[in-house]
Structure formats: C-alpha cells, structure tokens
Amino acid sequence: MAAANRALELFELTLADKRWYGLGTEIARSKEIFCDFVFGDNQYKSTPDDLERYFLQFAIAARLQV
C-alpha cells in the first residue's frame, strides 16, 4: 500500500509542476484510472498489462530525455 500511496503523491507533484502545464488533463485521467484499479472497483476494467503498457511509454520517453 505504501507504493500506491507514493504513486498518488507523485501524481499530485506532477500535476502541481508548471513544466507539465497543458498535460494536466492526461495526468489527472491517468491518476483516475490508477486509483480505480488500485483502490476502486475497477470500473474501467483495466488490467495490470494495460497499465504497464500505458506507463511504460512515459518511462521510455523520460529515459530518452536524459
């Protein structure tokens, strides 16, 4: 549960960061789907593979920017 709470904290920090202005809707939507999967009833019918595939794209993009 600590990892999920840390993920929520990172979502909030990212949403507050001015560098991501304009992407707030995408980030907020990602947070919503994550929360639904981890804490909710999974009304969006997400699977671990769905989430991994989605977030992996951001990890790859971040790695390329280093």
Side-chain angles (χ1 to χ4, degrees):
M1 191 57 73
N5 288 329
R6 177 63 176 150
L8 288 178
E9 181 181 352
L10 292 173
F11 274 118
E12 291 301 321
L13 289 169
T14 303
L15 284 166
D17 191 329
K18 301 288 186 241
R19 292 177 293 175
W20 302 110
Y21 181 79
L23 294 175
T25 304
E26 177 79 17
I27 297 164
R29 182 76 168 135
S30 300
K31 178 185 171 193
E32 178 183 355
I33 292 170
F34 173 81
C35 288
D36 176 57
F37 179 76
V38 175
F39 302 112
D41 296 329
N42 197 16
Q43 68 182 6
Y44 298 113
K45 307 292 186 236
S46 302
T47 67
D49 287 339
D50 293 337
L51 296 176
E52 182 177 357
R53 197 170 26 253
Y54 178 77
F55 288 109
L56 181 61
Q57 301 306 311
F58 292 99
I60 292 169
R63 176 63 71 140
L64 292 174
Q65 300 231 345
V66 172

